């Protein structure tokens, strides 16, 4: 019997919401591990955590690639509905992105002011010492709130929202491209993967990340075909094998580090294969019964519901605790910070994100209605 993903009346695919929630949790664990890295690196524990399949639980950068594929897929799906309005869509997208981002930066600024940070308490050269702000100015706040810079000392994860914003700007062009190549989708996805590999090898972020979004957009353009593929009977071994290959591609650069150390060209090449691995994981969430059932469970669906909020608030929470207790207390930081991040994310969702969703829907309706009226006025 084939298990197919459930869809909400709005058209949202529940298993993909669940996958987003798991990816957000993985990013949370990844950043906690970065706090512990200076004290664990070189130990047997570190080797087990970072160079074995356990790495899947803390593969934060790879989880962001999953987010990018999901964004390219889920954000574009409404484009193919009747009466779609680009003006309404893009206006609502601005509200959905900037409202929570600005609120998360305000939270971070408040925490920095309430709990002053002493960089000397962090190991030199560590993630905590090098990438976290210890003070707040109006200029830095406004610059980071714009999502224009590539570095975000007030709230590190916002670097990925910079790319989300840029892709939103080129989304009409990317959608047109996806429709143009939809009959040759597999070849187009292979080209995207190749471009992402080139971007990784030559450290060109645009080439690395944009093709990952485009993969998701091509999947959106072929969604009816993908859902039909999901329902086809397949050998029992196919999806477990497909899942294993996708996971190995996603974290292969970590598993291979004993042979190809970090920083080598071969390790970069293996990391570049995380892009097709991320796309494969998204397909697993659509097509493999055990994964669908896992992602549609209530706890995972709850994680999916608060995933964006969790992504935005967890680093300010973890960083505040790390500066308060010191990085040597990384265990205590995790014991307190992980559940506290989930709790704060829940409150942030209710107080900020859910309200921004409502505001975005109102903006969408108003802008779309005005665009239709203007179109009617200029029509011959």
């Amino acid at each position: 019997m084939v298990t197919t993903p459930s869809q909400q009346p709005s058209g949202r695919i529940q298993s993909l919401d669940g996958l987003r929630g798991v990816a957000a949790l993985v990013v949370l664990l990844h950043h906690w591990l970065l706090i512990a890295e200076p004290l664990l690196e070189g130990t047997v524990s570190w080797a087990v955590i970072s160079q074995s399949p356990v790495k899947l639980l803390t593969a934060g950068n790879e989880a962001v690639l999953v987010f990018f594929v999901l964004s390219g897929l889920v954000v574009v799906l409404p484009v193919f509905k009747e009466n779609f309005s680009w003006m309404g869509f893009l206006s609502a997208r601005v509200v959905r992105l900037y409202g929570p981002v600005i609120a998360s930066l305000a939270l971070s600024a408040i925490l920095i002011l309430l709990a002053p940070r002493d960089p000397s308490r962090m190991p030199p050269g560590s993630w905590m010492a090098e990438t976290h702000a210890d003070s707040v100015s109006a200029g830095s706040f406004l610059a980071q709130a714009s999502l224009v810079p590539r570095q975000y000392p007030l709230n590190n994860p916002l670097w990925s929202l910079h790319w989300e914003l840029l892709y939103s700007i080129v989304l009409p062009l990317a959608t047109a491209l996806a429709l143009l190549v939809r009959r040759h989708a597999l070849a187009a996805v292979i080209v995207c993967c190749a471009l992402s590999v080139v971007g990784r090898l030559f450290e060109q972020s645009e080439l690395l990340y944009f093709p990952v979004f485009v993969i998701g957009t091509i999947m959106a353009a072929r969604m009816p075909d993908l859902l039909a593929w999901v329902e086809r009977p397949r050998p029992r071994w196919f999806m477990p094998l497909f899942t294993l290959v996708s996971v190995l591609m996603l974290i292969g650069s970590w598993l291979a580090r004993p042979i190809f150390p970090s920083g080598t060209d071969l390790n970069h090449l293996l990391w570049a294969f995380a892009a097709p691995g991320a796309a494969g994981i998204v397909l697993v969430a659509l097509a493999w019964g055990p994964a669908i059932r896992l992602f549609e469970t209530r706890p995972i669906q709850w994680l999916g519901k608060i995933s964006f909020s969790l992504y935005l608030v967890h680093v300010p929470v973890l960083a505040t605790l790390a500066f308060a207790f010191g990085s040597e207390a990384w265990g205590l930081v995790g014991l307190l910070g992980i559940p506290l991040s989930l709790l704060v994310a829940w409150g942030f969702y209710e107080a900020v994100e859910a309200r921004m969703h409502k505001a975005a829907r109102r903006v969408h309706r108003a802008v779309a209605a005005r665009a239709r009226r203007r179109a009617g006025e200029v029509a011959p």
Side-chain angles (χ1 to χ4, degrees):
M1 180 178 177
V2 177
T3 303
T4 56
S6 303
Q7 288 187 270
Q8 299 175 353
S10 62
R12 295 181 67 93
I13 300 173
Q14 290 186 353
S15 61
L16 296 186
D17 286 340
L19 175 60
R20 185 182 293 105
V22 171
L25 184 62
V26 167
V27 173
L28 165 61
L29 296 175
H30 164 71
H31 285 130
W32 172 51
L33 189 63
L34 287 181
I35 296 171
E37 182 177 1
L39 296 117
L40 290 181
E41 193 170 18
T43 66
V44 174
S45 297
W46 179 257
V48 171
I49 292 170
S50 64
Q51 296 174 8
S52 78
V54 176
K55 180 59 188 176
L56 189 62
L57 300 176
T58 60
N61 291 327
E62 293 77 9
V64 170
L65 296 182
V66 174
F67 279 133
F68 287 171
V69 175
L70 285 171
S71 290
L73 169 61
V74 175
V75 171
V76 172
L77 283 178
V79 173
F80 303 108
K81 295 182 179 179
E82 291 185 12
N83 300 319
F84 175 78
S85 165
W86 275 113
M87 292 299 295
F89 170 80
L90 294 174
S91 300
R93 182 79 172 147
V94 167
V95 174
R96 284 176 180 266
L97 276 179
Y98 276 103
V101 163
I102 293 170
S104 75
L105 286 169
L107 172 65
S108 183
I110 290 169
L111 290 175
I112 291 173
L113 295 173
L114 292 178
R117 299 175 174 183
D118 181 3
S120 66
R121 300 196 65 187
M122 297 295 120
S126 66
W127 176 69
M128 288 299 303
E130 295 294 324
T131 64
H132 292 270
D134 54 24
S135 62
V136 184
S137 68
S140 65
F141 184 96
L142 292 174
Q144 292 173 61
S146 71
L147 292 179
V148 172
R150 295 196 180 188
Q151 304 295 326
Y152 294 85
L154 288 176
N155 193 1
N156 293 168
L158 295 187
W159 73 266
S160 70
L161 275 298
H162 165 81
W163 294 104
E164 294 269 4
L165 175 65
L166 292 181
Y167 194 68
S168 295
I169 294 172
V170 301
L171 192 58
L173 178 62
T175 303
L177 176 64
L179 290 172
L180 185 65
V181 302
R182 67 185 305 274
R183 291 187 177 181
H184 310 284
L186 181 58
V189 167
I190 292 173
V191 170
C192 287
C193 292
L195 290 173
S196 187
V197 169
V198 172
R200 177 63 176 177
L201 291 176
F202 292 94
E203 298 182 352
Q204 297 295 317
S205 298
E206 290 81 4
L207 271 182
L208 173 60
Y209 296 127
F210 277 146
V212 182
F213 285 102
V214 174
I215 290 172
T217 303
I218 293 171
M219 293 169 68
R222 293 293 300 268
M223 181 54 70
D225 300 314
L226 278 179
L227 294 178
W229 175 77
V230 165
E231 296 179 355
R232 291 178 189 169
R234 288 178 293 272
R236 289 189 176 183
W237 52 264
F238 179 81
M239 283 311 301
L241 179 61
F242 184 87
T243 302
L244 176 61
V245 171
S246 297
V247 168
L248 290 176
M249 294 177 77
L250 192 70
I251 61 171
S253 66
W254 292 92
L255 301 180
R257 285 196 175 193
I259 303 172
F260 307 123
S262 175
T264 62
D265 287 342
L266 285 174
N267 192 268
H268 282 317
L269 180 63
L270 286 174
W271 193 92
F273 281 101
I281 295 297
V282 173
L283 282 175
V284 168
L286 284 170
W288 193 30
I292 292 171
R293 289 189 288 271
L294 171 64
F295 292 137
E296 291 186 354
T297 58
R298 285 189 177 183
I300 302 299
Q301 284 292 298
W302 180 77
L303 273 178
K305 180 180 179 181
I306 68 164
S307 59
F308 187 43
S309 293
L310 179 61
Y311 189 78
L312 290 176
V313 305
H314 74 275
V315 165
V317 171
L318 291 177
T320 299
L321 293 175
F323 277 106
F325 299 127
S327 63
E328 67 276 3
W330 60 269
L332 180 60
V333 171
L335 185 64
L336 297 177
I338 292 172
L340 184 58
S341 294
L342 292 168
L343 183 62
V344 172
W346 182 27
F348 190 90
Y349 173 82
E350 296 292 343
V352 178
E353 187 184 351
R355 295 173 186 268
M356 288 298 104
H357 285 178
K358 293 179 181 178
R361 286 193 290 270
R362 290 196 295 269
V363 168
H364 186 283
R365 287 194 296 268
V367 173
R370 182 169 182 176
R372 285 193 293 269
R373 287 197 298 271
R374 289 181 65 86
E377 290 172 0
V378 300

